[in-house]
Amino acid sequence: MDPNLISKKELLELTGISYGQLYRWKRKNLIPEDWFIRRATFTGQETFFPREQIMNRIEKIVHMKDDLSLDELADMFSPNLASTQLTSDELLARNIVSVHSLELFAKYYGKPEVYSFEQMLYVYVLDRLLKTGEMSVDESGGLLQVLVDHYPSFEGKACELIFVRKMGISTFALVQGSTDLHFDSGTKWVVRLNLAACIEELKAKIL
């Protein structure tokens, strides 16, 4: 069996949640429908989940459900963009992004009076990659271009940011879901970033 998957039985045993809780969270859209994967086994059909994603999601639900309603949690986990708007001063005061990242965004796209959630996401991803050292300042324009030009076309669907380099030249791409991608041996994977997870993190910082 794929080690990246976990069976429903093992999931319930490891997390201590009940069958009823699991399916209630599914009905409330806290756990995506496409994470419930039906597979044939020697005992018949069984349900499996992407191991890392489901374990992280349940940990977050259990940790936050006493402070937020299930509807509020569902909104936070949704890949749909929130209607929240913040000024640059508010973003800095809440320690969501750095001055440097806001200045870089302004260099390419101007400084808005208020940032839409979509714009906040772009700056947040930029800030994250710069802080980890995975991306240089010179590469920030390519990142922002692919986000600004192409992210809106996904219309709230989950997607991933792909960042690769070949011979010092960086390339960014957006792909839907967990698509398998293969490059030639001279291409180095730098980052594969789940943007839905970034949206969750950003919403949690804003709440």
Side-chain angles (χ1 to χ4, degrees):
M1 182 53 63
D2 187 341
N4 294 317
L5 297 179
I6 183 172
S7 70
K8 179 168 64 181
K9 180 181 178 182
E10 184 182 0
L11 176 69
L12 298 181
E13 289 175 350
L14 287 177
T15 60
I17 66 171
S18 67
Y19 177 95
Q21 280 178 305
L22 177 66
Y23 281 87
R24 183 184 182 207
W25 293 343
K26 177 188 177 185
R27 290 193 301 273
K28 284 287 190 177
N29 297 316
L30 291 149
I31 300 174
E33 175 76 34
D34 58 9
W35 287 10
F36 289 72
I37 303 166
R38 297 288 289 173
R39 289 281 174 88
T41 68
F42 66 92
T43 58
Q45 287 282 326
E46 290 189 31
T47 300
F48 294 84
F49 302 87
R51 181 182 293 271
E52 185 176 352
Q53 290 172 287
I54 191 70
M55 292 297 289
N56 288 341
R57 178 61 56 87
I58 287 178
E59 181 181 355
K60 288 178 182 177
I61 295 171
V62 170
H63 179 70
M64 302 177 74
K65 66 183 178 66
D66 291 336
D67 298 316
L68 298 173
S69 70
L70 294 185
D71 288 337
E72 287 172 324
L73 283 172
D75 180 62
M76 190 181 79
F77 294 142
S78 168
N80 293 318
L81 299 183
S83 58
T84 307
Q85 294 183 327
L86 296 175
T87 65
S88 58
D89 288 342
E90 289 172 322
L91 287 168
L92 294 172
R94 300 188 190 195
N95 199 31
I96 294 173
V97 295
S98 67
V99 173
H100 185 48
S101 295
L102 287 172
E103 289 174 346
L104 280 172
F105 183 84
K107 173 184 174 182
Y108 293 104
Y109 295 100
K111 182 180 178 180
E113 289 187 16
V114 292
Y115 288 77
S116 66
F117 188 87
E118 197 169 76
Q119 291 170 322
M120 285 188 267
L121 176 65
Y122 302 158
V123 182
Y124 181 74
V125 172
L126 169 68
D127 197 61
R128 175 171 173 163
L129 295 184
L130 288 174
K131 284 179 176 176
T132 60
E134 293 164 312
M135 184 184 72
S136 70
V137 171
D138 290 340
E139 293 170 316
S140 60
L143 168 70
L144 289 173
Q145 183 179 355
V146 77
L147 289 173
V148 171
D149 290 352
H150 300 294
Y151 185 77
S153 66
F154 286 86
E155 298 179 338
K157 297 174 184 174
C159 66
E160 293 183 319
L161 171 72
I162 307 299
F163 176 19
V164 297
R165 283 196 195 99
K166 183 175 182 179
M167 299 179 68
I169 305 299
S170 58
T171 299
F172 298 89
L174 293 177
V175 297
Q176 188 172 340
S178 298
T179 306
D180 287 333
L181 295 172
H182 304 278
F183 298 93
D184 63 80
S185 58
T187 301
K188 178 186 176 183
W189 279 92
V190 183
V191 170
R192 183 164 191 161
L193 188 61
N194 185 315
L195 291 186
C198 291
I199 290 172
E200 288 179 27
E201 293 169 9
L202 182 55
K203 287 180 177 178
K205 287 177 176 289
I206 291 171
L207 286 173

